Amino acid sequence: QVQLVESGGGLVQPGGSLRLSCAASGIIFSIHAMGWYRQAPGKQRELVARVISGGSIDYADSVKGRFTISRGNAQNTVHLQMNSLKPEDTAVYYCNARITGGAGYGMDYWGKGTPVTVSS
């Protein structure tokens, strides 16, 4: 079965940077999209950034110009470079991917999340 594993979260001061990484493993025939969502305490989960088939990229307005999403050298990885972090970026960040695996059709998969805390 497909699994997504995130890494790179932690505690950082405002204005600092973090780089999140996600790796997909398992029976994978194709990855249609990979991206990042986040959920702050008491808030709904929201899209941060994602890259989809054809190379198009979507960013939340709140992170444009500060965050950069990219696919890794390994095709099953995705990264999120987060610069100029703000306290409002504090959340648990979840990797998400739409993957065709052994079932033969596309399904959404989620990582367990990596916490990011931006605080002095």
mmCIF file of all heavy atoms in Angstrom, residues 73-114:
data_model
loop_
_atom_site.group_PDB
_atom_site.id
_atom_site.type_symbol
_atom_site.label_atom_id
_atom_site.label_comp_id
_atom_site.label_asym_id
_atom_site.label_seq_id
_atom_site.Cartn_x
_atom_site.Cartn_y
_atom_site.Cartn_z
ATOM 1 N N ASN A 73 14.594 15.087 -6.995
ATOM 2 C CA ASN A 73 15.264 14.314 -8.032
ATOM 3 C C ASN A 73 14.626 12.938 -8.185
ATOM 4 O O ASN A 73 14.489 12.435 -9.303
ATOM 5 C CB ASN A 73 16.752 14.176 -7.706
ATOM 6 C CG ASN A 73 17.485 15.499 -7.717
ATOM 7 O OD1 ASN A 73 18.214 15.821 -6.777
ATOM 8 N ND2 ASN A 73 17.284 16.280 -8.776
ATOM 9 N N ALA A 74 14.250 12.350 -7.077
ATOM 10 C CA ALA A 74 13.441 11.144 -7.116
ATOM 11 C C ALA A 74 12.003 11.542 -7.406
ATOM 12 O O ALA A 74 11.457 12.447 -6.783
ATOM 13 C CB ALA A 74 13.527 10.385 -5.798
ATOM 14 N N GLN A 75 11.383 10.894 -8.348
ATOM 15 C CA GLN A 75 10.062 11.291 -8.806
ATOM 16 C C GLN A 75 8.984 11.110 -7.748
ATOM 17 O O GLN A 75 7.893 11.666 -7.891
ATOM 18 C CB GLN A 75 9.698 10.529 -10.075
ATOM 19 C CG GLN A 75 10.557 10.892 -11.276
ATOM 20 C CD GLN A 75 10.152 10.162 -12.536
ATOM 21 O OE1 GLN A 75 9.495 9.125 -12.481
ATOM 22 N NE2 GLN A 75 10.545 10.702 -13.672
ATOM 23 N N ASN A 76 9.284 10.354 -6.716
ATOM 24 C CA ASN A 76 8.304 10.111 -5.671
ATOM 25 C C ASN A 76 8.448 11.059 -4.487
ATOM 26 O O ASN A 76 7.900 10.795 -3.418
ATOM 27 C CB ASN A 76 8.395 8.665 -5.187
ATOM 28 C CG ASN A 76 9.718 8.359 -4.516
ATOM 29 O OD1 ASN A 76 10.744 8.957 -4.828
ATOM 30 N ND2 ASN A 76 9.699 7.420 -3.572
ATOM 31 N N THR A 77 9.160 12.156 -4.667
ATOM 32 C CA THR A 77 9.374 13.098 -3.581
ATOM 33 C C THR A 77 8.880 14.489 -3.955
ATOM 34 O O THR A 77 8.809 14.846 -5.130
ATOM 35 C CB THR A 77 10.851 13.185 -3.181
ATOM 36 O OG1 THR A 77 11.630 13.650 -4.289
ATOM 37 C CG2 THR A 77 11.372 11.820 -2.741
ATOM 38 N N VAL A 78 8.556 15.249 -2.932
ATOM 39 C CA VAL A 78 8.174 16.642 -3.104
ATOM 40 C C VAL A 78 8.712 17.410 -1.915
ATOM 41 O O VAL A 78 8.815 16.873 -0.802
ATOM 42 C CB VAL A 78 6.641 16.793 -3.236
ATOM 43 C CG1 VAL A 78 5.933 16.391 -1.943
ATOM 44 C CG2 VAL A 78 6.270 18.214 -3.637
ATOM 45 N N HIS A 79 9.080 18.669 -2.155
ATOM 46 C CA HIS A 79 9.650 19.511 -1.116
ATOM 47 C C HIS A 79 8.899 20.825 -1.045
ATOM 48 O O HIS A 79 8.328 21.289 -2.033
ATOM 49 C CB HIS A 79 11.128 19.784 -1.396
ATOM 50 C CG HIS A 79 11.933 18.548 -1.619
ATOM 51 N ND1 HIS A 79 12.375 17.746 -0.589
ATOM 52 C CD2 HIS A 79 12.369 17.960 -2.767
ATOM 53 C CE1 HIS A 79 13.055 16.727 -1.086
ATOM 54 N NE2 HIS A 79 13.063 16.834 -2.401
ATOM 55 N N LEU A 80 8.924 21.409 0.114
ATOM 56 C CA LEU A 80 8.352 22.729 0.313
ATOM 57 C C LEU A 80 9.375 23.582 1.037
ATOM 58 O O LEU A 80 9.636 23.373 2.220
ATOM 59 C CB LEU A 80 7.050 22.660 1.114
ATOM 60 C CG LEU A 80 6.303 23.984 1.279
ATOM 61 C CD1 LEU A 80 5.740 24.449 -0.070
ATOM 62 C CD2 LEU A 80 5.191 23.859 2.310
ATOM 63 N N GLN A 81 9.963 24.515 0.305
ATOM 64 C CA GLN A 81 10.890 25.463 0.897
ATOM 65 C C GLN A 81 10.094 26.633 1.441
ATOM 66 O O GLN A 81 9.404 27.319 0.688
ATOM 67 C CB GLN A 81 11.905 25.941 -0.138
ATOM 68 C CG GLN A 81 12.910 26.961 0.389
ATOM 69 C CD GLN A 81 13.821 26.387 1.445
ATOM 70 O OE1 GLN A 81 14.336 25.285 1.287
ATOM 71 N NE2 GLN A 81 14.026 27.120 2.528
ATOM 72 N N MET A 82 10.188 26.858 2.729
ATOM 73 C CA MET A 82 9.420 27.895 3.397
ATOM 74 C C MET A 82 10.374 28.958 3.919
ATOM 75 O O MET A 82 11.196 28.689 4.801
ATOM 76 C CB MET A 82 8.587 27.315 4.540
ATOM 77 C CG MET A 82 7.671 26.176 4.109
ATOM 78 S SD MET A 82 6.555 25.643 5.432
ATOM 79 C CE MET A 82 7.752 24.988 6.602
ATOM 80 N N ASN A 83 10.273 30.150 3.376
ATOM 81 C CA ASN A 83 11.099 31.274 3.779
ATOM 82 C C ASN A 83 10.233 32.365 4.390
ATOM 83 O O ASN A 83 9.022 32.395 4.200
ATOM 84 C CB ASN A 83 11.865 31.840 2.580
ATOM 85 C CG ASN A 83 12.820 30.848 1.957
ATOM 86 O OD1 ASN A 83 13.402 30.013 2.646
ATOM 87 N ND2 ASN A 83 13.004 30.948 0.645
ATOM 88 N N SER A 84 10.875 33.264 5.101
ATOM 89 C CA SER A 84 10.188 34.398 5.723
ATOM 90 C C SER A 84 8.971 33.937 6.512
ATOM 91 O O SER A 84 7.873 34.488 6.394
ATOM 92 C CB SER A 84 9.784 35.421 4.653
ATOM 93 O OG SER A 84 10.908 35.889 3.935
ATOM 94 N N LEU A 85 9.173 32.941 7.332
ATOM 95 C CA LEU A 85 8.065 32.348 8.063
ATOM 96 C C LEU A 85 7.458 33.326 9.057
ATOM 97 O O LEU A 85 8.156 34.137 9.673
ATOM 98 C CB LEU A 85 8.521 31.085 8.776
ATOM 99 C CG LEU A 85 8.681 29.872 7.850
ATOM 100 C CD1 LEU A 85 9.553 28.810 8.501
ATOM 101 C CD2 LEU A 85 7.312 29.298 7.505
ATOM 102 N N LYS A 86 6.153 33.223 9.194
ATOM 103 C CA LYS A 86 5.379 34.070 10.081
ATOM 104 C C LYS A 86 4.692 33.217 11.138
ATOM 105 O O LYS A 86 4.446 32.033 10.918
ATOM 106 C CB LYS A 86 4.318 34.843 9.282
ATOM 107 C CG LYS A 86 4.864 35.688 8.147
ATOM 108 C CD LYS A 86 3.726 36.310 7.345
ATOM 109 C CE LYS A 86 4.244 37.152 6.202
ATOM 110 N NZ LYS A 86 3.133 37.747 5.413
ATOM 111 N N PRO A 87 4.353 33.806 12.270
ATOM 112 C CA PRO A 87 3.643 33.034 13.293
ATOM 113 C C PRO A 87 2.364 32.386 12.766
ATOM 114 O O PRO A 87 2.021 31.280 13.202
ATOM 115 C CB PRO A 87 3.332 34.076 14.366
ATOM 116 C CG PRO A 87 4.444 35.063 14.241
ATOM 117 C CD PRO A 87 4.722 35.148 12.760
ATOM 118 N N GLU A 88 1.682 33.037 11.841
ATOM 119 C CA GLU A 88 0.460 32.477 11.299
ATOM 120 C C GLU A 88 0.695 31.263 10.407
ATOM 121 O O GLU A 88 -0.263 30.611 9.977
ATOM 122 C CB GLU A 88 -0.355 33.539 10.540
ATOM 123 C CG GLU A 88 0.446 34.307 9.509
ATOM 124 C CD GLU A 88 0.942 35.647 10.027
ATOM 125 O OE1 GLU A 88 1.446 35.696 11.179
ATOM 126 O OE2 GLU A 88 0.816 36.652 9.293
ATOM 127 N N ASP A 89 1.953 30.957 10.103
ATOM 128 C CA ASP A 89 2.275 29.732 9.377
ATOM 129 C C ASP A 89 2.301 28.521 10.293
ATOM 130 O O ASP A 89 2.438 27.388 9.810
ATOM 131 C CB ASP A 89 3.624 29.862 8.674
ATOM 132 C CG ASP A 89 3.624 30.916 7.587
ATOM 133 O OD1 ASP A 89 2.642 30.978 6.817
ATOM 134 O OD2 ASP A 89 4.615 31.672 7.492
ATOM 135 N N THR A 90 2.199 28.738 11.580
ATOM 136 C CA THR A 90 2.218 27.639 12.535
ATOM 137 C C THR A 90 1.057 26.689 12.272
ATOM 138 O O THR A 90 -0.104 27.094 12.242
ATOM 139 C CB THR A 90 2.153 28.170 13.970
ATOM 140 O OG1 THR A 90 3.324 28.941 14.245
ATOM 141 C CG2 THR A 90 2.075 27.025 14.964
ATOM 142 N N ALA A 91 1.370 25.428 12.082
ATOM 143 C CA ALA A 91 0.360 24.425 11.774
ATOM 144 C C ALA A 91 1.039 23.068 11.661
ATOM 145 O O ALA A 91 2.266 22.971 11.633
ATOM 146 C CB ALA A 91 -0.359 24.754 10.460
ATOM 147 N N VAL A 92 0.227 22.042 11.576
ATOM 148 C CA VAL A 92 0.719 20.740 11.169
ATOM 149 C C VAL A 92 0.613 20.671 9.649
ATOM 150 O O VAL A 92 -0.457 20.927 9.090
ATOM 151 C CB VAL A 92 -0.066 19.591 11.814
ATOM 152 C CG1 VAL A 92 0.433 18.245 11.305
ATOM 153 C CG2 VAL A 92 0.063 19.662 13.331
ATOM 154 N N TYR A 93 1.708 20.361 9.010
ATOM 155 C CA TYR A 93 1.756 20.311 7.555
ATOM 156 C C TYR A 93 1.667 18.866 7.091
ATOM 157 O O TYR A 93 2.419 18.000 7.549
ATOM 158 C CB TYR A 93 3.041 20.957 7.040
ATOM 159 C CG TYR A 93 3.010 22.463 7.109
ATOM 160 C CD1 TYR A 93 3.048 23.122 8.335
ATOM 161 C CD2 TYR A 93 2.920 23.234 5.950
ATOM 162 C CE1 TYR A 93 2.994 24.507 8.408
ATOM 163 C CE2 TYR A 93 2.873 24.617 6.015
ATOM 164 C CZ TYR A 93 2.906 25.250 7.240
ATOM 165 O OH TYR A 93 2.857 26.629 7.302
ATOM 166 N N TYR A 94 0.750 18.623 6.159
ATOM 167 C CA TYR A 94 0.485 17.285 5.671
ATOM 168 C C TYR A 94 0.835 17.160 4.197
ATOM 169 O O TYR A 94 0.436 17.994 3.386
ATOM 170 C CB TYR A 94 -0.992 16.922 5.831
ATOM 171 C CG TYR A 94 -1.468 16.876 7.264
ATOM 172 C CD1 TYR A 94 -1.967 18.011 7.889
ATOM 173 C CD2 TYR A 94 -1.428 15.683 7.984
ATOM 174 C CE1 TYR A 94 -2.409 17.969 9.198
ATOM 175 C CE2 TYR A 94 -1.870 15.634 9.288
ATOM 176 C CZ TYR A 94 -2.365 16.786 9.890
ATOM 177 O OH TYR A 94 -2.808 16.738 11.186
ATOM 178 N N CYS A 95 1.555 16.131 3.865
ATOM 179 C CA CYS A 95 1.801 15.803 2.472
ATOM 180 C C CYS A 95 0.584 15.095 1.903
ATOM 181 O O CYS A 95 -0.025 14.258 2.570
ATOM 182 C CB CYS A 95 3.035 14.915 2.358
ATOM 183 S SG CYS A 95 3.495 14.471 0.668
ATOM 184 N N ASN A 96 0.239 15.442 0.684
ATOM 185 C CA ASN A 96 -0.890 14.834 -0.005
ATOM 186 C C ASN A 96 -0.467 14.458 -1.417
ATOM 187 O O ASN A 96 0.277 15.191 -2.063
ATOM 188 C CB ASN A 96 -2.068 15.802 -0.051
ATOM 189 C CG ASN A 96 -3.166 15.342 -0.989
ATOM 190 O OD1 ASN A 96 -3.256 15.805 -2.132
ATOM 191 N ND2 ASN A 96 -4.010 14.430 -0.521
ATOM 192 N N ALA A 97 -0.959 13.329 -1.887
ATOM 193 C CA ALA A 97 -0.654 12.912 -3.246
ATOM 194 C C ALA A 97 -1.814 12.135 -3.825
ATOM 195 O O ALA A 97 -2.494 11.385 -3.114
ATOM 196 C CB ALA A 97 0.610 12.058 -3.288
ATOM 197 N N ARG A 98 -2.040 12.339 -5.110
ATOM 198 C CA ARG A 98 -2.993 11.522 -5.845
ATOM 199 C C ARG A 98 -2.186 10.539 -6.676
ATOM 200 O O ARG A 98 -1.425 10.940 -7.559
ATOM 201 C CB ARG A 98 -3.909 12.368 -6.720
ATOM 202 C CG ARG A 98 -4.894 11.530 -7.522
ATOM 203 C CD ARG A 98 -6.063 12.357 -7.999
ATOM 204 N NE ARG A 98 -6.887 12.782 -6.876
ATOM 205 C CZ ARG A 98 -8.018 13.470 -7.005
ATOM 206 N NH1 ARG A 98 -8.447 13.821 -8.207
ATOM 207 N NH2 ARG A 98 -8.701 13.813 -5.928
ATOM 208 N N ILE A 99 -2.383 9.270 -6.392
ATOM 209 C CA ILE A 99 -1.514 8.223 -6.908
ATOM 210 C C ILE A 99 -2.338 7.071 -7.454
ATOM 211 O O ILE A 99 -3.322 6.656 -6.838
ATOM 212 C CB ILE A 99 -0.566 7.710 -5.807
ATOM 213 C CG1 ILE A 99 0.408 8.812 -5.388
ATOM 214 C CG2 ILE A 99 0.196 6.471 -6.262
ATOM 215 C CD1 ILE A 99 1.244 8.466 -4.182
ATOM 216 N N THR A 100 -1.916 6.569 -8.601
ATOM 217 C CA THR A 100 -2.428 5.303 -9.101
ATOM 218 C C THR A 100 -1.466 4.217 -8.661
ATOM 219 O O THR A 100 -0.295 4.211 -9.055
ATOM 220 C CB THR A 100 -2.570 5.309 -10.621
ATOM 221 O OG1 THR A 100 -3.562 6.260 -11.009
ATOM 222 C CG2 THR A 100 -2.997 3.930 -11.117
ATOM 223 N N GLY A 101 -1.957 3.319 -7.846
ATOM 224 C CA GLY A 101 -1.158 2.220 -7.340
ATOM 225 C C GLY A 101 -1.708 0.890 -7.786
ATOM 226 O O GLY A 101 -2.220 0.742 -8.901
ATOM 227 N N GLY A 102 -1.609 -0.085 -6.903
ATOM 228 C CA GLY A 102 -2.026 -1.426 -7.246
ATOM 229 C C GLY A 102 -3.503 -1.569 -7.562
ATOM 230 O O GLY A 102 -3.892 -2.495 -8.288
ATOM 231 N N ALA A 103 -4.320 -0.681 -7.043
ATOM 232 C CA ALA A 103 -5.753 -0.744 -7.314
ATOM 233 C C ALA A 103 -6.079 -0.417 -8.755
ATOM 234 O O ALA A 103 -7.165 -0.765 -9.232
ATOM 235 C CB ALA A 103 -6.506 0.197 -6.380
ATOM 236 N N GLY A 104 -5.190 0.271 -9.439
ATOM 237 C CA GLY A 104 -5.384 0.589 -10.838
ATOM 238 C C GLY A 104 -6.119 1.884 -11.108
ATOM 239 O O GLY A 104 -6.431 2.176 -12.257
ATOM 240 N N TYR A 105 -6.392 2.662 -10.077
ATOM 241 C CA TYR A 105 -7.042 3.949 -10.253
ATOM 242 C C TYR A 105 -6.483 4.945 -9.248
ATOM 243 O O TYR A 105 -5.897 4.555 -8.240
ATOM 244 C CB TYR A 105 -8.560 3.826 -10.101
ATOM 245 C CG TYR A 105 -9.008 3.183 -8.814
ATOM 246 C CD1 TYR A 105 -9.223 3.939 -7.674
ATOM 247 C CD2 TYR A 105 -9.226 1.810 -8.749
ATOM 248 C CE1 TYR A 105 -9.638 3.350 -6.497
ATOM 249 C CE2 TYR A 105 -9.638 1.206 -7.580
ATOM 250 C CZ TYR A 105 -9.844 1.976 -6.452
ATOM 251 O OH TYR A 105 -10.254 1.383 -5.279
ATOM 252 N N GLY A 106 -6.664 6.194 -9.533
ATOM 253 C CA GLY A 106 -6.114 7.233 -8.691
ATOM 254 C C GLY A 106 -6.830 7.368 -7.366
ATOM 255 O O GLY A 106 -8.059 7.335 -7.299
ATOM 256 N N MET A 107 -6.055 7.516 -6.314
ATOM 257 C CA MET A 107 -6.577 7.715 -4.974
ATOM 258 C C MET A 107 -5.734 8.763 -4.264
ATOM 259 O O MET A 107 -4.561 8.943 -4.580
ATOM 260 C CB MET A 107 -6.550 6.417 -4.165
ATOM 261 C CG MET A 107 -7.435 5.304 -4.692
ATOM 262 S SD MET A 107 -7.289 3.795 -3.711
ATOM 263 C CE MET A 107 -7.844 4.395 -2.105
ATOM 264 N N ASP A 108 -6.350 9.441 -3.315
ATOM 265 C CA ASP A 108 -5.634 10.409 -2.496
ATOM 266 C C ASP A 108 -5.018 9.733 -1.288
ATOM 267 O O ASP A 108 -5.656 8.921 -0.610
ATOM 268 C CB ASP A 108 -6.562 11.528 -2.031
ATOM 269 C CG ASP A 108 -6.846 12.554 -3.105
ATOM 270 O OD1 ASP A 108 -6.086 12.604 -4.096
ATOM 271 O OD2 ASP A 108 -7.826 13.297 -2.959
ATOM 272 N N TYR A 109 -3.776 10.092 -1.008
ATOM 273 C CA TYR A 109 -3.063 9.591 0.150
ATOM 274 C C TYR A 109 -2.546 10.754 0.969
ATOM 275 O O TYR A 109 -2.231 11.822 0.427
ATOM 276 C CB TYR A 109 -1.899 8.688 -0.273
ATOM 277 C CG TYR A 109 -2.344 7.424 -0.958
ATOM 278 C CD1 TYR A 109 -2.544 7.391 -2.330
ATOM 279 C CD2 TYR A 109 -2.583 6.265 -0.229
ATOM 280 C CE1 TYR A 109 -2.964 6.235 -2.959
ATOM 281 C CE2 TYR A 109 -2.998 5.104 -0.855
ATOM 282 C CZ TYR A 109 -3.191 5.093 -2.221
ATOM 283 O OH TYR A 109 -3.614 3.939 -2.834
ATOM 284 N N TRP A 110 -2.453 10.526 2.269
ATOM 285 C CA TRP A 110 -2.030 11.563 3.197
ATOM 286 C C TRP A 110 -0.926 11.056 4.107
ATOM 287 O O TRP A 110 -0.945 9.903 4.549
ATOM 288 C CB TRP A 110 -3.199 12.022 4.076
ATOM 289 C CG TRP A 110 -4.280 12.729 3.323
ATOM 290 C CD1 TRP A 110 -5.362 12.172 2.718
ATOM 291 C CD2 TRP A 110 -4.375 14.137 3.107
ATOM 292 N NE1 TRP A 110 -6.133 13.149 2.139
ATOM 293 C CE2 TRP A 110 -5.556 14.358 2.359
ATOM 294 C CE3 TRP A 110 -3.586 15.227 3.478
ATOM 295 C CZ2 TRP A 110 -5.961 15.631 1.971
ATOM 296 C CZ3 TRP A 110 -3.986 16.493 3.088
ATOM 297 C CH2 TRP A 110 -5.161 16.680 2.348
ATOM 298 N N GLY A 111 0.022 11.922 4.378
ATOM 299 C CA GLY A 111 0.999 11.624 5.400
ATOM 300 C C GLY A 111 0.431 11.893 6.776
ATOM 301 O O GLY A 111 -0.680 12.410 6.934
ATOM 302 N N LYS A 112 1.192 11.549 7.795
ATOM 303 C CA LYS A 112 0.739 11.749 9.168
ATOM 304 C C LYS A 112 0.914 13.177 9.653
ATOM 305 O O LYS A 112 0.347 13.550 10.676
ATOM 306 C CB LYS A 112 1.475 10.790 10.101
ATOM 307 C CG LYS A 112 1.151 9.330 9.861
ATOM 308 C CD LYS A 112 1.887 8.432 10.837
ATOM 309 C CE LYS A 112 1.528 6.971 10.620
ATOM 310 N NZ LYS A 112 2.245 6.085 11.568
ATOM 311 N N GLY A 113 1.678 13.954 8.936
ATOM 312 C CA GLY A 113 1.867 15.349 9.274
ATOM 313 C C GLY A 113 3.167 15.610 10.001
ATOM 314 O O GLY A 113 3.664 14.769 10.740
ATOM 315 N N THR A 114 3.705 16.800 9.782
ATOM 316 C CA THR A 114 4.888 17.258 10.496
ATOM 317 C C THR A 114 4.601 18.658 11.036
ATOM 318 O O THR A 114 4.159 19.537 10.294
ATOM 319 C CB THR A 114 6.139 17.239 9.595
ATOM 320 O OG1 THR A 114 7.293 17.599 10.358
ATOM 321 C CG2 THR A 114 6.005 18.171 8.406
#
